[in-house]
Amino acid sequence: MAILHDILQAICPFIWQGLNWNNNDNNDKNANSNRCHKQQSNSKGDKQHSLASIKQRPLIVDIHENRVQANPYLVIAIHGDVPFGPVSYHNTFAKQLSEATENVVVGLLRPGYKDDKGRRSVGRKGWSVGDNYDFKRIESIVHTIQALQQQYQPIKTIVAGHSGGAAITAKMLAYYSNLMDVAFIVSCPTDINVWRSDMLKLSFNPLFIGKLNRVSPMDLTDKVSTNTHVHVFCGVNDPITLPYLSERYVAKLTHGGKNVRYDAIEGDHNIFLHPFILRSVVKQITN
């Protein structure tokens, strides 16, 4: 395996450089977990300014509003890794959820990805092998969420992430402890390099050879606020993010006294639109 790793670096240096883009990801370890706070403002001018900020953001957002009143719940849906073609299921999630409750639900398109409408978020997509869960990409997502918070002044913010989007959500939990009130972590590669090893065995894709300089959600559980409710889901037949990855993450959060719940549900990796998960989000809003 080490020989194959060296061969890959020798014949495809540009690929290896791309995998470790923003290679300084270990700077994550020194990030202040309170770096981003919800900004409180009720002035009309501030709301108009934040709306302009959203329009200028490089990330594509689809906003679904349903009978929105003052200080609604704000739900952000973040998709996973899609190596080829457009991605749209996060918007399906947002639309279905907005129809079920009175709230604001946003489908957020990660940096570099294209959606089914031909739109593309600014940034580098990466290779979808764990390389794009770095702090630079996370920060651009956080800035977009903050702008939405400024516009809507939500009573609570809920972030639901699937697969790679779940890894990003879990890292935001640690680095920005006041950013969200509830996190739904679905089918998450909680230990990035262990997951990459699993994926190499499953896919034989040489881009999964070796370790990336990435901090994993598993490394950051001590930074998760006890005030944030974390709900972790995994499909019992998931071949992509094997259930033990979620189970270990939940066990570590539980050991640290965090507010966490875990549900293993019927299904494979593609469970983001599972009715049980949608109902769980609705329950958080209506209770």
Side-chain angles (χ1 to χ4, degrees), residues 155-210:
I155 187 173
K156 283 188 177 181
T157 298
I158 299 172
V159 180
H162 175 246
S163 192
I168 288 170
T169 301
K171 292 181 76 169
M172 289 193 297
L173 269 177
Y175 295 140
Y176 302 89
S177 61
N178 292 325
L179 183 70
M180 66 191 82
D181 301 282
V182 183
F184 288 89
I185 310 292
V186 183
S187 308
C188 185
T190 59
D191 193 328
I192 294 170
N193 282 314
V194 171
W195 167 73
R196 281 174 51 80
S197 179
D198 289 343
M199 287 300 296
L200 179 61
K201 296 173 186 176
L202 178 68
S203 68
F204 301 102
N205 182 346
L207 292 178
F208 285 110
I209 294 173

Short mmCIF file of all heavy atoms in Angstrom, two decimals, residues 155-210:
data_model
loop_
_atom_site.label_atom_id
_atom_site.label_comp_id
_atom_site.label_asym_id
_atom_site.label_seq_id
_atom_site.Cartn_x
_atom_site.Cartn_y
_atom_site.Cartn_z
N ILE A 155 -35.26 32.31 16.13
CA ILE A 155 -35.29 31.91 17.53
C ILE A 155 -34.34 30.75 17.77
O ILE A 155 -33.74 30.62 18.84
CB ILE A 155 -36.74 31.56 17.96
CG1 ILE A 155 -36.79 31.32 19.47
CG2 ILE A 155 -37.27 30.36 17.19
CD1 ILE A 155 -38.20 31.15 19.98
N LYS A 156 -34.20 29.89 16.76
CA LYS A 156 -33.24 28.79 16.80
C LYS A 156 -32.71 28.52 15.40
O LYS A 156 -33.42 28.72 14.41
CB LYS A 156 -33.86 27.50 17.37
CG LYS A 156 -34.03 27.49 18.86
CD LYS A 156 -34.48 26.10 19.34
CE LYS A 156 -34.58 26.06 20.84
NZ LYS A 156 -34.99 24.71 21.33
N THR A 157 -31.47 28.05 15.35
CA THR A 157 -30.87 27.64 14.08
C THR A 157 -30.58 26.15 14.14
O THR A 157 -29.97 25.65 15.09
CB THR A 157 -29.56 28.41 13.80
OG1 THR A 157 -29.84 29.81 13.70
CG2 THR A 157 -28.91 27.93 12.50
N ILE A 158 -31.04 25.45 13.12
CA ILE A 158 -30.84 24.01 13.01
C ILE A 158 -30.05 23.74 11.74
O ILE A 158 -30.39 24.26 10.67
CB ILE A 158 -32.19 23.26 12.94
CG1 ILE A 158 -33.01 23.52 14.21
CG2 ILE A 158 -31.98 21.77 12.71
CD1 ILE A 158 -34.43 22.99 14.14
N VAL A 159 -29.00 22.95 11.84
CA VAL A 159 -28.21 22.57 10.67
C VAL A 159 -28.29 21.06 10.50
O VAL A 159 -28.03 20.31 11.44
CB VAL A 159 -26.74 23.02 10.79
CG1 VAL A 159 -25.95 22.60 9.55
CG2 VAL A 159 -26.65 24.54 10.99
N ALA A 160 -28.67 20.64 9.29
CA ALA A 160 -28.75 19.22 8.97
C ALA A 160 -27.77 18.92 7.85
O ALA A 160 -27.88 19.47 6.75
CB ALA A 160 -30.18 18.85 8.54
N GLY A 161 -26.80 18.07 8.12
CA GLY A 161 -25.79 17.74 7.13
C GLY A 161 -25.75 16.26 6.83
O GLY A 161 -25.92 15.42 7.74
N HIS A 162 -25.53 15.93 5.57
CA HIS A 162 -25.47 14.53 5.14
C HIS A 162 -24.08 14.19 4.62
O HIS A 162 -23.51 14.95 3.83
CB HIS A 162 -26.50 14.25 4.05
CG HIS A 162 -26.41 12.87 3.46
ND1 HIS A 162 -26.05 12.63 2.16
CD2 HIS A 162 -26.62 11.65 4.03
CE1 HIS A 162 -26.05 11.34 1.93
NE2 HIS A 162 -26.39 10.71 3.05
N SER A 163 -23.52 13.08 5.05
CA SER A 163 -22.26 12.54 4.55
C SER A 163 -21.14 13.59 4.73
O SER A 163 -20.85 13.97 5.85
CB SER A 163 -22.44 12.10 3.10
OG SER A 163 -21.34 11.34 2.66
N GLY A 164 -20.54 14.04 3.63
CA GLY A 164 -19.52 15.08 3.77
C GLY A 164 -20.07 16.35 4.40
O GLY A 164 -19.38 17.04 5.14
N GLY A 165 -21.35 16.65 4.10
CA GLY A 165 -21.99 17.79 4.75
C GLY A 165 -22.17 17.58 6.23
O GLY A 165 -22.17 18.54 7.02
N ALA A 166 -22.30 16.31 6.65
CA ALA A 166 -22.37 15.99 8.08
C ALA A 166 -21.02 16.21 8.75
O ALA A 166 -20.94 16.71 9.88
CB ALA A 166 -22.84 14.55 8.27
N ALA A 167 -19.94 15.84 8.05
CA ALA A 167 -18.60 16.08 8.60
C ALA A 167 -18.36 17.57 8.79
O ALA A 167 -17.81 18.01 9.81
CB ALA A 167 -17.55 15.47 7.68
N ILE A 168 -18.78 18.36 7.82
CA ILE A 168 -18.64 19.81 7.92
C ILE A 168 -19.49 20.35 9.07
O ILE A 168 -19.03 21.19 9.85
CB ILE A 168 -19.03 20.47 6.58
CG1 ILE A 168 -17.95 20.19 5.53
CG2 ILE A 168 -19.26 21.96 6.74
CD1 ILE A 168 -18.34 20.58 4.12
N THR A 169 -20.72 19.85 9.20
CA THR A 169 -21.58 20.29 10.29
C THR A 169 -20.97 19.94 11.64
O THR A 169 -20.98 20.76 12.57
CB THR A 169 -22.97 19.62 10.16
OG1 THR A 169 -23.55 19.98 8.90
CG2 THR A 169 -23.90 20.06 11.28
N ALA A 170 -20.43 18.75 11.76
CA ALA A 170 -19.82 18.32 13.02
C ALA A 170 -18.59 19.18 13.36
O ALA A 170 -18.34 19.46 14.54
CB ALA A 170 -19.43 16.85 12.94
N LYS A 171 -17.85 19.59 12.36
CA LYS A 171 -16.70 20.45 12.63
C LYS A 171 -17.14 21.87 12.98
O LYS A 171 -16.54 22.52 13.86
CB LYS A 171 -15.74 20.44 11.43
CG LYS A 171 -15.06 19.09 11.22
CD LYS A 171 -14.10 19.07 10.04
CE LYS A 171 -12.80 19.78 10.37
NZ LYS A 171 -11.76 19.55 9.35
N MET A 172 -18.20 22.35 12.33
CA MET A 172 -18.74 23.66 12.71
C MET A 172 -19.22 23.65 14.16
O MET A 172 -19.09 24.65 14.88
CB MET A 172 -19.88 24.07 11.78
CG MET A 172 -19.45 24.43 10.37
SD MET A 172 -20.75 25.24 9.39
CE MET A 172 -22.00 23.94 9.30
N LEU A 173 -19.80 22.54 14.59
CA LEU A 173 -20.23 22.39 15.98
C LEU A 173 -19.11 22.71 16.95
O LEU A 173 -19.33 23.31 18.00
CB LEU A 173 -20.67 20.94 16.24
CG LEU A 173 -22.11 20.53 16.04
CD1 LEU A 173 -22.24 19.04 16.28
CD2 LEU A 173 -23.02 21.30 16.97
N ALA A 174 -17.91 22.26 16.59
CA ALA A 174 -16.77 22.43 17.48
C ALA A 174 -16.15 23.82 17.38
O ALA A 174 -15.81 24.43 18.40
CB ALA A 174 -15.72 21.36 17.17
N TYR A 175 -16.00 24.31 16.17
CA TYR A 175 -15.30 25.57 15.97
C TYR A 175 -16.15 26.80 16.24
O TYR A 175 -15.64 27.87 16.57
CB TYR A 175 -14.75 25.65 14.55
CG TYR A 175 -13.70 24.63 14.23
CD1 TYR A 175 -13.66 23.99 13.00
CD2 TYR A 175 -12.73 24.29 15.17
CE1 TYR A 175 -12.69 23.05 12.71
CE2 TYR A 175 -11.76 23.35 14.89
CZ TYR A 175 -11.74 22.73 13.66
OH TYR A 175 -10.78 21.81 13.36
N TYR A 176 -17.45 26.67 16.05
CA TYR A 176 -18.38 27.81 16.20
C TYR A 176 -19.50 27.38 17.14
O TYR A 176 -20.61 27.07 16.71
CB TYR A 176 -18.92 28.22 14.84
CG TYR A 176 -17.85 28.60 13.84
CD1 TYR A 176 -17.29 27.63 13.02
CD2 TYR A 176 -17.40 29.91 13.73
CE1 TYR A 176 -16.30 27.97 12.10
CE2 TYR A 176 -16.41 30.25 12.82
CZ TYR A 176 -15.87 29.28 12.01
OH TYR A 176 -14.88 29.60 11.11
N SER A 177 -19.21 27.36 18.42
CA SER A 177 -20.10 26.72 19.38
C SER A 177 -21.44 27.40 19.51
O SER A 177 -22.41 26.78 19.98
CB SER A 177 -19.42 26.65 20.75
OG SER A 177 -19.12 27.95 21.23
N ASN A 178 -21.55 28.66 19.12
CA ASN A 178 -22.82 29.38 19.23
C ASN A 178 -23.53 29.53 17.89
O ASN A 178 -24.52 30.26 17.80
CB ASN A 178 -22.60 30.77 19.84
CG ASN A 178 -22.17 30.69 21.30
OD1 ASN A 178 -22.62 29.82 22.03
ND2 ASN A 178 -21.29 31.59 21.70
N LEU A 179 -23.06 28.85 16.88
CA LEU A 179 -23.63 29.03 15.55
C LEU A 179 -24.99 28.36 15.41
O LEU A 179 -25.87 28.89 14.73
CB LEU A 179 -22.68 28.46 14.49
CG LEU A 179 -23.11 28.63 13.03
CD1 LEU A 179 -23.03 30.10 12.62
CD2 LEU A 179 -22.24 27.78 12.10
N MET A 180 -25.17 27.21 16.02
CA MET A 180 -26.42 26.45 15.85
C MET A 180 -26.90 25.94 17.19
O MET A 180 -26.12 25.74 18.13
CB MET A 180 -26.21 25.30 14.86
CG MET A 180 -25.27 24.22 15.34
SD MET A 180 -24.79 23.02 14.06
CE MET A 180 -23.47 23.92 13.21
N ASP A 181 -28.21 25.73 17.27
CA ASP A 181 -28.82 25.20 18.48
C ASP A 181 -29.02 23.69 18.40
O ASP A 181 -29.01 23.00 19.42
CB ASP A 181 -30.18 25.87 18.71
CG ASP A 181 -30.05 27.38 18.86
OD1 ASP A 181 -29.66 27.83 19.94
OD2 ASP A 181 -30.32 28.08 17.86
N VAL A 182 -29.23 23.20 17.19
CA VAL A 182 -29.46 21.77 16.96
C VAL A 182 -28.68 21.35 15.72
O VAL A 182 -28.66 22.08 14.72
CB VAL A 182 -30.96 21.44 16.76
CG1 VAL A 182 -31.17 19.95 16.60
CG2 VAL A 182 -31.80 21.99 17.91
N ALA A 183 -28.05 20.18 15.80
CA ALA A 183 -27.33 19.64 14.64
C ALA A 183 -27.83 18.23 14.35
O ALA A 183 -27.91 17.40 15.26
CB ALA A 183 -25.83 19.61 14.90
N PHE A 184 -28.16 17.99 13.09
CA PHE A 184 -28.52 16.65 12.62
C PHE A 184 -27.35 16.15 11.78
O PHE A 184 -27.05 16.70 10.72
CB PHE A 184 -29.82 16.68 11.82
CG PHE A 184 -31.04 16.90 12.68
CD1 PHE A 184 -31.48 18.17 12.95
CD2 PHE A 184 -31.72 15.82 13.22
CE1 PHE A 184 -32.59 18.39 13.75
CE2 PHE A 184 -32.83 16.01 14.01
CZ PHE A 184 -33.28 17.31 14.29
N ILE A 185 -26.70 15.11 12.27
CA ILE A 185 -25.50 14.54 11.65
C ILE A 185 -25.90 13.21 11.03
O ILE A 185 -26.16 12.23 11.73
CB ILE A 185 -24.38 14.34 12.69
CG1 ILE A 185 -24.16 15.60 13.52
CG2 ILE A 185 -23.11 13.86 12.01
CD1 ILE A 185 -23.58 16.76 12.76
N VAL A 186 -25.96 13.16 9.69
CA VAL A 186 -26.50 11.99 9.00
C VAL A 186 -25.42 11.33 8.14
O VAL A 186 -24.83 11.98 7.28
CB VAL A 186 -27.71 12.39 8.11
CG1 VAL A 186 -28.31 11.16 7.46
CG2 VAL A 186 -28.75 13.14 8.93
N SER A 187 -25.18 10.05 8.38
CA SER A 187 -24.23 9.26 7.56
C SER A 187 -22.86 9.94 7.52
O SER A 187 -22.32 10.23 6.45
CB SER A 187 -24.77 9.08 6.14
OG SER A 187 -26.08 8.57 6.14
N CYS A 188 -22.27 10.13 8.67
CA CYS A 188 -21.06 10.98 8.76
C CYS A 188 -19.76 10.19 8.78
O CYS A 188 -19.62 9.22 9.53
CB CYS A 188 -21.15 11.81 10.04
SG CYS A 188 -19.81 13.01 10.22
N PRO A 189 -18.76 10.61 7.98
CA PRO A 189 -17.41 10.06 8.09
C PRO A 189 -16.68 10.73 9.26
O PRO A 189 -15.87 11.63 9.08
CB PRO A 189 -16.78 10.42 6.75
CG PRO A 189 -17.48 11.68 6.34
CD PRO A 189 -18.88 11.58 6.88
N THR A 190 -17.00 10.30 10.47
CA THR A 190 -16.56 11.01 11.67
C THR A 190 -15.05 10.96 11.90
O THR A 190 -14.50 11.82 12.57
CB THR A 190 -17.26 10.43 12.91
OG1 THR A 190 -16.95 9.03 13.02
CG2 THR A 190 -18.77 10.60 12.80
N ASP A 191 -14.41 9.94 11.37
CA ASP A 191 -12.95 9.81 11.48
C ASP A 191 -12.42 9.73 10.05
O ASP A 191 -12.46 8.68 9.40
CB ASP A 191 -12.58 8.57 12.28
CG ASP A 191 -11.13 8.54 12.68
OD1 ASP A 191 -10.29 9.07 11.92
OD2 ASP A 191 -10.81 7.99 13.75
N ILE A 192 -11.94 10.86 9.54
CA ILE A 192 -11.73 11.01 8.10
C ILE A 192 -10.75 9.98 7.53
O ILE A 192 -11.03 9.33 6.52
CB ILE A 192 -11.27 12.44 7.78
CG1 ILE A 192 -12.42 13.42 8.09
CG2 ILE A 192 -10.85 12.57 6.31
CD1 ILE A 192 -12.02 14.88 8.03
N ASN A 193 -9.60 9.81 8.15
CA ASN A 193 -8.62 8.90 7.56
C ASN A 193 -8.98 7.43 7.77
O ASN A 193 -8.66 6.59 6.93
CB ASN A 193 -7.23 9.20 8.12
CG ASN A 193 -6.61 10.43 7.45
OD1 ASN A 193 -6.65 10.56 6.23
ND2 ASN A 193 -6.08 11.35 8.24
N VAL A 194 -9.69 7.11 8.84
CA VAL A 194 -10.20 5.74 9.01
C VAL A 194 -11.26 5.47 7.94
O VAL A 194 -11.28 4.39 7.33
CB VAL A 194 -10.79 5.56 10.42
CG1 VAL A 194 -11.52 4.23 10.53
CG2 VAL A 194 -9.68 5.63 11.47
N TRP A 195 -12.13 6.44 7.72
CA TRP A 195 -13.14 6.31 6.66
C TRP A 195 -12.48 6.16 5.30
O TRP A 195 -12.92 5.34 4.48
CB TRP A 195 -14.06 7.53 6.67
CG TRP A 195 -14.92 7.66 5.47
CD1 TRP A 195 -16.01 6.91 5.14
CD2 TRP A 195 -14.74 8.59 4.39
NE1 TRP A 195 -16.53 7.32 3.92
CE2 TRP A 195 -15.77 8.36 3.44
CE3 TRP A 195 -13.83 9.62 4.14
CZ2 TRP A 195 -15.89 9.11 2.28
CZ3 TRP A 195 -13.95 10.36 2.98
CH2 TRP A 195 -14.98 10.10 2.06
N ARG A 196 -11.42 6.91 5.03
CA ARG A 196 -10.72 6.80 3.75
C ARG A 196 -10.17 5.39 3.56
O ARG A 196 -10.19 4.85 2.45
CB ARG A 196 -9.58 7.84 3.68
CG ARG A 196 -10.06 9.23 3.36
CD ARG A 196 -8.91 10.26 3.45
NE ARG A 196 -7.74 9.85 2.71
CZ ARG A 196 -7.60 9.98 1.39
NH1 ARG A 196 -8.57 10.54 0.68
NH2 ARG A 196 -6.50 9.60 0.78
N SER A 197 -9.68 4.80 4.63
CA SER A 197 -9.17 3.42 4.54
C SER A 197 -10.30 2.46 4.18
O SER A 197 -10.12 1.55 3.34
CB SER A 197 -8.54 3.03 5.87
OG SER A 197 -8.06 1.70 5.83
N ASP A 198 -11.47 2.67 4.78
CA ASP A 198 -12.64 1.85 4.43
C ASP A 198 -13.00 2.02 2.97
O ASP A 198 -13.33 1.04 2.28
CB ASP A 198 -13.84 2.25 5.29
CG ASP A 198 -13.71 1.83 6.74
OD1 ASP A 198 -12.86 0.96 7.04
OD2 ASP A 198 -14.45 2.39 7.59
N MET A 199 -12.97 3.26 2.49
CA MET A 199 -13.36 3.54 1.12
C MET A 199 -12.37 2.97 0.11
O MET A 199 -12.76 2.56 -0.99
CB MET A 199 -13.52 5.05 0.92
CG MET A 199 -14.75 5.64 1.57
SD MET A 199 -16.28 4.91 0.94
CE MET A 199 -16.22 5.42 -0.78
N LEU A 200 -11.10 2.91 0.47
CA LEU A 200 -10.11 2.30 -0.42
C LEU A 200 -10.41 0.82 -0.61
O LEU A 200 -10.35 0.30 -1.73
CB LEU A 200 -8.71 2.50 0.15
CG LEU A 200 -7.56 1.90 -0.67
CD1 LEU A 200 -7.50 2.52 -2.06
CD2 LEU A 200 -6.23 2.08 0.05
N LYS A 201 -10.79 0.16 0.48
CA LYS A 201 -11.13 -1.26 0.39
C LYS A 201 -12.40 -1.47 -0.43
O LYS A 201 -12.54 -2.46 -1.15
CB LYS A 201 -11.33 -1.83 1.79
CG LYS A 201 -10.08 -1.81 2.64
CD LYS A 201 -10.39 -2.22 4.07
CE LYS A 201 -9.18 -2.07 4.98
NZ LYS A 201 -9.51 -2.37 6.40
N LEU A 202 -13.33 -0.52 -0.33
CA LEU A 202 -14.61 -0.66 -1.01
C LEU A 202 -14.51 -0.33 -2.50
O LEU A 202 -15.07 -1.03 -3.35
CB LEU A 202 -15.65 0.26 -0.36
CG LEU A 202 -17.05 0.28 -0.98
CD1 LEU A 202 -17.75 -1.06 -0.77
CD2 LEU A 202 -17.88 1.42 -0.39
N SER A 203 -13.77 0.75 -2.82
CA SER A 203 -13.80 1.28 -4.19
C SER A 203 -12.54 1.04 -4.99
O SER A 203 -12.55 1.18 -6.22
CB SER A 203 -14.05 2.79 -4.13
OG SER A 203 -12.93 3.45 -3.56
N PHE A 204 -11.40 0.75 -4.32
CA PHE A 204 -10.10 0.62 -4.97
C PHE A 204 -9.70 1.91 -5.70
O PHE A 204 -8.88 1.89 -6.61
CB PHE A 204 -10.08 -0.56 -5.97
CG PHE A 204 -10.38 -1.88 -5.32
CD1 PHE A 204 -11.63 -2.46 -5.46
CD2 PHE A 204 -9.42 -2.54 -4.57
CE1 PHE A 204 -11.93 -3.68 -4.87
CE2 PHE A 204 -9.72 -3.76 -3.97
CZ PHE A 204 -10.97 -4.32 -4.11
N ASN A 205 -10.28 3.02 -5.29
CA ASN A 205 -9.94 4.32 -5.86
C ASN A 205 -8.60 4.78 -5.27
O ASN A 205 -8.49 4.96 -4.05
CB ASN A 205 -11.04 5.32 -5.52
CG ASN A 205 -10.79 6.70 -6.12
OD1 ASN A 205 -9.69 7.02 -6.58
ND2 ASN A 205 -11.81 7.53 -6.11
N PRO A 206 -7.57 4.98 -6.10
CA PRO A 206 -6.25 5.36 -5.57
C PRO A 206 -6.23 6.70 -4.85
O PRO A 206 -5.30 6.98 -4.10
CB PRO A 206 -5.36 5.39 -6.81
CG PRO A 206 -6.29 5.58 -7.96
CD PRO A 206 -7.54 4.86 -7.57
N LEU A 207 -7.26 7.53 -5.05
CA LEU A 207 -7.30 8.81 -4.34
C LEU A 207 -7.56 8.62 -2.85
O LEU A 207 -7.41 9.57 -2.07
CB LEU A 207 -8.37 9.72 -4.95
CG LEU A 207 -8.09 10.21 -6.36
CD1 LEU A 207 -9.24 11.06 -6.87
CD2 LEU A 207 -6.79 11.00 -6.43
N PHE A 208 -7.94 7.42 -2.45
CA PHE A 208 -8.13 7.14 -1.03
C PHE A 208 -6.88 6.57 -0.37
O PHE A 208 -6.90 6.22 0.81
CB PHE A 208 -9.31 6.17 -0.83
CG PHE A 208 -10.65 6.80 -1.02
CD1 PHE A 208 -11.44 6.47 -2.13
CD2 PHE A 208 -11.15 7.71 -0.10
CE1 PHE A 208 -12.69 7.04 -2.30
CE2 PHE A 208 -12.39 8.30 -0.28
CZ PHE A 208 -13.17 7.97 -1.38
N ILE A 209 -5.79 6.45 -1.14
CA ILE A 209 -4.55 5.95 -0.58
C ILE A 209 -3.91 7.02 0.31
O ILE A 209 -3.85 8.19 -0.05
CB ILE A 209 -3.57 5.54 -1.69
CG1 ILE A 209 -4.12 4.34 -2.46
CG2 ILE A 209 -2.20 5.21 -1.12
CD1 ILE A 209 -3.28 3.98 -3.68
N GLY A 210 -3.43 6.62 1.47
CA GLY A 210 -2.71 7.53 2.34
C GLY A 210 -3.60 8.37 3.22
O GLY A 210 -4.83 8.32 3.16
#
